PDB file of all heavy atoms in Angstrom:
ATOM      1  N   GLU A  95     -14.535  -4.381  26.443  1.00  0.00           N
ATOM      2  CA  GLU A  95     -14.652  -4.513  25.035  1.00  0.00           C
ATOM      3  C   GLU A  95     -14.052  -3.249  24.339  1.00  0.00           C
ATOM      4  O   GLU A  95     -13.366  -3.382  23.355  1.00  0.00           O
ATOM      5  CB  GLU A  95     -16.120  -4.590  24.599  1.00  0.00           C
ATOM      6  CG  GLU A  95     -16.821  -5.878  24.775  1.00  0.00           C
ATOM      7  CD  GLU A  95     -18.277  -5.773  24.316  1.00  0.00           C
ATOM      8  OE1 GLU A  95     -18.951  -4.848  24.786  1.00  0.00           O
ATOM      9  OE2 GLU A  95     -18.670  -6.603  23.528  1.00  0.00           O
ATOM     10  N   ALA A  96     -14.366  -2.125  24.876  1.00  0.00           N
ATOM     11  CA  ALA A  96     -13.945  -0.868  24.224  1.00  0.00           C
ATOM     12  C   ALA A  96     -12.397  -0.761  24.214  1.00  0.00           C
ATOM     13  O   ALA A  96     -11.828  -0.345  23.233  1.00  0.00           O
ATOM     14  CB  ALA A  96     -14.521   0.287  24.997  1.00  0.00           C
ATOM     15  N   LEU A  97     -11.756  -1.223  25.296  1.00  0.00           N
ATOM     16  CA  LEU A  97     -10.285  -1.108  25.319  1.00  0.00           C
ATOM     17  C   LEU A  97      -9.695  -2.059  24.353  1.00  0.00           C
ATOM     18  O   LEU A  97      -8.722  -1.771  23.690  1.00  0.00           O
ATOM     19  CB  LEU A  97      -9.811  -1.413  26.755  1.00  0.00           C
ATOM     20  CG  LEU A  97      -9.927  -0.216  27.726  1.00  0.00           C
ATOM     21  CD1 LEU A  97      -9.640  -0.738  29.167  1.00  0.00           C
ATOM     22  CD2 LEU A  97      -8.957   0.873  27.363  1.00  0.00           C
ATOM     23  N   LYS A  98     -10.243  -3.274  24.218  1.00  0.00           N
ATOM     24  CA  LYS A  98      -9.761  -4.256  23.231  1.00  0.00           C
ATOM     25  C   LYS A  98      -9.833  -3.681  21.798  1.00  0.00           C
ATOM     26  O   LYS A  98      -8.887  -3.781  21.039  1.00  0.00           O
ATOM     27  CB  LYS A  98     -10.550  -5.540  23.285  1.00  0.00           C
ATOM     28  CG  LYS A  98     -10.191  -6.378  24.519  1.00  0.00           C
ATOM     29  CD  LYS A  98     -11.102  -7.611  24.563  1.00  0.00           C
ATOM     30  CE  LYS A  98     -10.944  -8.341  25.894  1.00  0.00           C
ATOM     31  NZ  LYS A  98     -11.888  -9.432  26.059  1.00  0.00           N
ATOM     32  N   VAL A  99     -10.970  -3.062  21.479  1.00  0.00           N
ATOM     33  CA  VAL A  99     -11.176  -2.560  20.142  1.00  0.00           C
ATOM     34  C   VAL A  99     -10.267  -1.318  19.936  1.00  0.00           C
ATOM     35  O   VAL A  99      -9.738  -1.072  18.814  1.00  0.00           O
ATOM     36  CB  VAL A  99     -12.622  -2.251  19.885  1.00  0.00           C
ATOM     37  CG1 VAL A  99     -12.803  -1.533  18.526  1.00  0.00           C
ATOM     38  CG2 VAL A  99     -13.461  -3.487  19.965  1.00  0.00           C
ATOM     39  N   ALA A 100     -10.087  -0.499  20.947  1.00  0.00           N
ATOM     40  CA  ALA A 100      -9.239   0.707  20.853  1.00  0.00           C
ATOM     41  C   ALA A 100      -7.826   0.319  20.581  1.00  0.00           C
ATOM     42  O   ALA A 100      -7.139   0.861  19.721  1.00  0.00           O
ATOM     43  CB  ALA A 100      -9.406   1.527  22.128  1.00  0.00           C
ATOM     44  N   TRP A 101      -7.284  -0.667  21.317  1.00  0.00           N
ATOM     45  CA  TRP A 101      -5.972  -1.137  21.100  1.00  0.00           C
ATOM     46  C   TRP A 101      -5.813  -1.723  19.686  1.00  0.00           C
ATOM     47  O   TRP A 101      -4.804  -1.553  19.035  1.00  0.00           O
ATOM     48  CB  TRP A 101      -5.537  -2.221  22.188  1.00  0.00           C
ATOM     49  CG  TRP A 101      -4.978  -1.650  23.395  1.00  0.00           C
ATOM     50  CD1 TRP A 101      -5.606  -1.527  24.636  1.00  0.00           C
ATOM     51  CD2 TRP A 101      -3.678  -1.099  23.578  1.00  0.00           C
ATOM     52  NE1 TRP A 101      -4.740  -0.942  25.522  1.00  0.00           N
ATOM     53  CE2 TRP A 101      -3.547  -0.666  24.914  1.00  0.00           C
ATOM     54  CE3 TRP A 101      -2.576  -0.916  22.720  1.00  0.00           C
ATOM     55  CZ2 TRP A 101      -2.434  -0.098  25.390  1.00  0.00           C
ATOM     56  CZ3 TRP A 101      -1.435  -0.300  23.209  1.00  0.00           C
ATOM     57  CH2 TRP A 101      -1.360   0.051  24.543  1.00  0.00           C
ATOM     58  N   ALA A 102      -6.773  -2.485  19.261  1.00  0.00           N
ATOM     59  CA  ALA A 102      -6.713  -3.096  17.900  1.00  0.00           C
ATOM     60  C   ALA A 102      -6.699  -1.974  16.850  1.00  0.00           C
ATOM     61  O   ALA A 102      -5.946  -2.125  15.852  1.00  0.00           O
ATOM     62  CB  ALA A 102      -7.919  -3.978  17.643  1.00  0.00           C
ATOM     63  N   ASN A 103      -7.397  -0.894  17.058  1.00  0.00           N
ATOM     64  CA  ASN A 103      -7.365   0.168  16.109  1.00  0.00           C
ATOM     65  C   ASN A 103      -6.010   0.912  16.054  1.00  0.00           C
ATOM     66  O   ASN A 103      -5.539   1.237  14.949  1.00  0.00           O
ATOM     67  CB  ASN A 103      -8.467   1.255  16.455  1.00  0.00           C
ATOM     68  CG  ASN A 103      -9.782   0.871  15.868  1.00  0.00           C
ATOM     69  OD1 ASN A 103      -9.978   1.054  14.647  1.00  0.00           O
ATOM     70  ND2 ASN A 103     -10.680   0.328  16.654  1.00  0.00           N
ATOM     71  N   ILE A 104      -5.391   1.072  17.210  1.00  0.00           N
ATOM     72  CA  ILE A 104      -4.073   1.650  17.218  1.00  0.00           C
ATOM     73  C   ILE A 104      -3.090   0.781  16.554  1.00  0.00           C
ATOM     74  O   ILE A 104      -2.222   1.228  15.759  1.00  0.00           O
ATOM     75  CB  ILE A 104      -3.625   1.944  18.668  1.00  0.00           C
ATOM     76  CG1 ILE A 104      -4.581   2.916  19.351  1.00  0.00           C
ATOM     77  CG2 ILE A 104      -2.185   2.419  18.759  1.00  0.00           C
ATOM     78  CD1 ILE A 104      -4.654   4.297  18.692  1.00  0.00           C
ATOM     79  N   LYS A 105      -3.120  -0.550  16.780  1.00  0.00           N
ATOM     80  CA  LYS A 105      -2.251  -1.486  16.148  1.00  0.00           C
ATOM     81  C   LYS A 105      -2.473  -1.519  14.608  1.00  0.00           C
ATOM     82  O   LYS A 105      -1.525  -1.577  13.843  1.00  0.00           O
ATOM     83  CB  LYS A 105      -2.411  -2.874  16.745  1.00  0.00           C
ATOM     84  CG  LYS A 105      -1.891  -2.987  18.138  1.00  0.00           C
ATOM     85  CD  LYS A 105      -2.194  -4.362  18.734  1.00  0.00           C
ATOM     86  CE  LYS A 105      -1.708  -4.426  20.167  1.00  0.00           C
ATOM     87  NZ  LYS A 105      -2.119  -5.675  20.802  1.00  0.00           N
ATOM     88  N   LEU A 106      -3.748  -1.505  14.183  1.00  0.00           N
ATOM     89  CA  LEU A 106      -4.048  -1.499  12.805  1.00  0.00           C
ATOM     90  C   LEU A 106      -3.500  -0.242  12.104  1.00  0.00           C
ATOM     91  O   LEU A 106      -2.895  -0.361  11.034  1.00  0.00           O
ATOM     92  CB  LEU A 106      -5.605  -1.508  12.606  1.00  0.00           C
ATOM     93  CG  LEU A 106      -6.072  -1.418  11.129  1.00  0.00           C
ATOM     94  CD1 LEU A 106      -5.588  -2.632  10.334  1.00  0.00           C
ATOM     95  CD2 LEU A 106      -7.544  -1.288  11.045  1.00  0.00           C
ATOM     96  N   ARG A 107      -3.621   0.940  12.685  1.00  0.00           N
ATOM     97  CA  ARG A 107      -3.086   2.125  12.080  1.00  0.00           C
ATOM     98  C   ARG A 107      -1.623   2.050  11.925  1.00  0.00           C
ATOM     99  O   ARG A 107      -1.049   2.426  10.883  1.00  0.00           O
ATOM    100  CB  ARG A 107      -3.453   3.355  12.929  1.00  0.00           C
ATOM    101  CG  ARG A 107      -3.100   4.660  12.284  1.00  0.00           C
ATOM    102  CD  ARG A 107      -3.488   5.825  13.021  1.00  0.00           C
ATOM    103  NE  ARG A 107      -2.757   5.854  14.328  1.00  0.00           N
ATOM    104  CZ  ARG A 107      -3.172   6.498  15.382  1.00  0.00           C
ATOM    105  NH1 ARG A 107      -4.248   7.169  15.370  1.00  0.00           N
ATOM    106  NH2 ARG A 107      -2.398   6.443  16.491  1.00  0.00           N
ATOM    107  N   ALA A 108      -0.925   1.524  12.916  1.00  0.00           N
ATOM    108  CA  ALA A 108       0.533   1.393  12.882  1.00  0.00           C
ATOM    109  C   ALA A 108       0.938   0.407  11.755  1.00  0.00           C
ATOM    110  O   ALA A 108       1.886   0.676  10.998  1.00  0.00           O
ATOM    111  CB  ALA A 108       1.070   0.938  14.220  1.00  0.00           C
ATOM    112  N   LEU A 109       0.243  -0.733  11.641  1.00  0.00           N
ATOM    113  CA  LEU A 109       0.545  -1.705  10.641  1.00  0.00           C
ATOM    114  C   LEU A 109       0.265  -1.217   9.234  1.00  0.00           C
ATOM    115  O   LEU A 109       0.980  -1.451   8.286  1.00  0.00           O
ATOM    116  CB  LEU A 109      -0.165  -3.014  10.898  1.00  0.00           C
ATOM    117  CG  LEU A 109       0.322  -3.868  12.068  1.00  0.00           C
ATOM    118  CD1 LEU A 109      -0.667  -5.018  12.321  1.00  0.00           C
ATOM    119  CD2 LEU A 109       1.695  -4.408  11.794  1.00  0.00           C
ATOM    120  N   LEU A 110      -0.850  -0.436   9.068  1.00  0.00           N
ATOM    121  CA  LEU A 110      -1.223   0.067   7.794  1.00  0.00           C
ATOM    122  C   LEU A 110      -0.139   1.023   7.234  1.00  0.00           C
ATOM    123  O   LEU A 110       0.042   1.077   6.040  1.00  0.00           O
ATOM    124  CB  LEU A 110      -2.562   0.799   7.848  1.00  0.00           C
ATOM    125  CG  LEU A 110      -3.818  -0.052   7.967  1.00  0.00           C
ATOM    126  CD1 LEU A 110      -5.051   0.845   8.228  1.00  0.00           C
ATOM    127  CD2 LEU A 110      -4.066  -0.858   6.700  1.00  0.00           C
ATOM    128  N   GLN A 111       0.551   1.695   8.097  1.00  0.00           N
ATOM    129  CA  GLN A 111       1.565   2.642   7.649  1.00  0.00           C
ATOM    130  C   GLN A 111       2.834   1.910   7.235  1.00  0.00           C
ATOM    131  O   GLN A 111       3.673   2.495   6.571  1.00  0.00           O
ATOM    132  CB  GLN A 111       1.866   3.646   8.722  1.00  0.00           C
ATOM    133  CG  GLN A 111       0.705   4.596   8.979  1.00  0.00           C
ATOM    134  CD  GLN A 111       0.859   5.453  10.167  1.00  0.00           C
ATOM    135  OE1 GLN A 111       1.729   5.251  10.972  1.00  0.00           O
ATOM    136  NE2 GLN A 111       0.001   6.446  10.295  1.00  0.00           N
ATOM    137  N   LYS A 112       2.985   0.593   7.560  1.00  0.00           N
ATOM    138  CA  LYS A 112       4.211  -0.180   7.233  1.00  0.00           C
ATOM    139  C   LYS A 112       4.016  -1.074   6.089  1.00  0.00           C
ATOM    140  O   LYS A 112       4.968  -1.359   5.366  1.00  0.00           O
ATOM    141  CB  LYS A 112       4.590  -0.971   8.453  1.00  0.00           C
ATOM    142  CG  LYS A 112       5.056  -0.106   9.620  1.00  0.00           C
ATOM    143  CD  LYS A 112       5.472  -0.965  10.800  1.00  0.00           C
ATOM    144  CE  LYS A 112       5.788  -0.094  12.032  1.00  0.00           C
ATOM    145  NZ  LYS A 112       6.015  -0.928  13.203  1.00  0.00           N
ATOM    146  N   LYS A 113       2.813  -1.682   5.925  1.00  0.00           N
ATOM    147  CA  LYS A 113       2.635  -2.776   4.939  1.00  0.00           C
ATOM    148  C   LYS A 113       1.171  -2.956   4.623  1.00  0.00           C
ATOM    149  O   LYS A 113       0.316  -2.316   5.203  1.00  0.00           O
ATOM    150  CB  LYS A 113       3.263  -4.099   5.477  1.00  0.00           C
ATOM    151  CG  LYS A 113       2.503  -4.566   6.682  1.00  0.00           C
ATOM    152  CD  LYS A 113       3.132  -5.861   7.265  1.00  0.00           C
ATOM    153  CE  LYS A 113       2.392  -6.357   8.482  1.00  0.00           C
ATOM    154  NZ  LYS A 113       2.857  -7.630   8.880  1.00  0.00           N
TER     155      LYS A 113
END
Side-chain angles (χ1 to χ4, degrees):
E95 281 179 309
L97 282 169
K98 287 177 189 174
V99 176
W101 272 106
N103 275 283
I104 298 299
K105 290 176 184 175
L106 176 64
R107 187 178 64 200
L109 287 171
L110 285 172
Q111 292 172 348
K112 294 178 186 174
K113 62 181 183 174

